[in-house]
Amino acid sequence: MSNDIAVRIGRNIASARKAQQRTQADVAEAVGVDTVSLSRIERGVVTAGIPTLDKIADELGVPLGRLFDGASANSSALADNIIAQLEPLKDADRLFLVEQFQVWAKKLASKK
C-alpha cells in the first residue's frame, strides 16, 4: 500500500473515531492494539493489516470499506464512496444531491 493510501485510511479511522467522541486509548484497547500503534495507523505512518482494519471498523461500527473511502480513484470505488455519503440522508436530500450531481457532470463533460 502506498503512503498516500495509508494516510487516507488513517484519516478515515480518525474521523470515524472522533465522530463517536472516542479516544485513541479507548478504541485501541477494544481492538487489542496499543495506543501508539493506533496513533501511527491514524497518521498513516504504518499500514494495518486487513484483520486489524476489520477489528477497527467493527469497533467503530462502520463498514470496512468506509475506511478505504478516497483511497482509490477508480469508478467503482468512487461510486461506493458516493453511495456511502448518500445513505444516511433523507430521501429528499438524496434526490436533490443526485440532481445536482447530474447538472454538474453535464457541465463538466461539455468543457472537454
Side-chain angles (χ1 to χ4, degrees):
M1 234 181 265
S2 79
N3 191 39
D4 289 341
I5 293 171
V7 169
R8 289 181 192 144
I9 291 170
R11 285 183 188 154
N12 291 337
I13 292 169
S15 175
R17 177 182 58 76
K18 290 174 184 177
Q20 295 179 13
Q21 299 179 340
R22 295 182 64 187
T23 65
Q24 285 180 336
D26 172 48
V27 173
E29 181 180 343
V31 171
V33 299
D34 59 81
T35 305
V36 172
S37 294
L38 182 59
S39 173
R40 292 177 58 139
I41 292 167
E42 287 188 359
R43 289 181 286 129
V45 174
V46 297
T47 304
I50 296 297
T52 301
L53 292 175
D54 191 43
K55 288 179 186 177
I56 292 170
D58 283 347
E59 182 59 32
L60 295 174
V62 299
L64 176 61
R66 180 167 170 225
L67 301 183
F68 292 87
D69 285 355
S72 174
N74 75 41
S75 296
S76 178
L78 291 173
D80 288 345
N81 188 11
I82 291 169
I83 290 167
Q85 299 299 316
L86 292 174
E87 282 178 347
L89 302 177
K90 295 176 186 174
D91 288 342
D93 293 335
R94 279 188 216 148
L95 292 173
F96 170 77
L97 288 175
V98 168
E99 290 170 358
Q100 291 301 307
F101 176 80
Q102 291 170 335
V103 168
W104 281 101
K106 285 179 185 176
K107 285 183 181 182
L108 294 172
S110 69
K111 289 185 177 186
K112 286 186 174 183

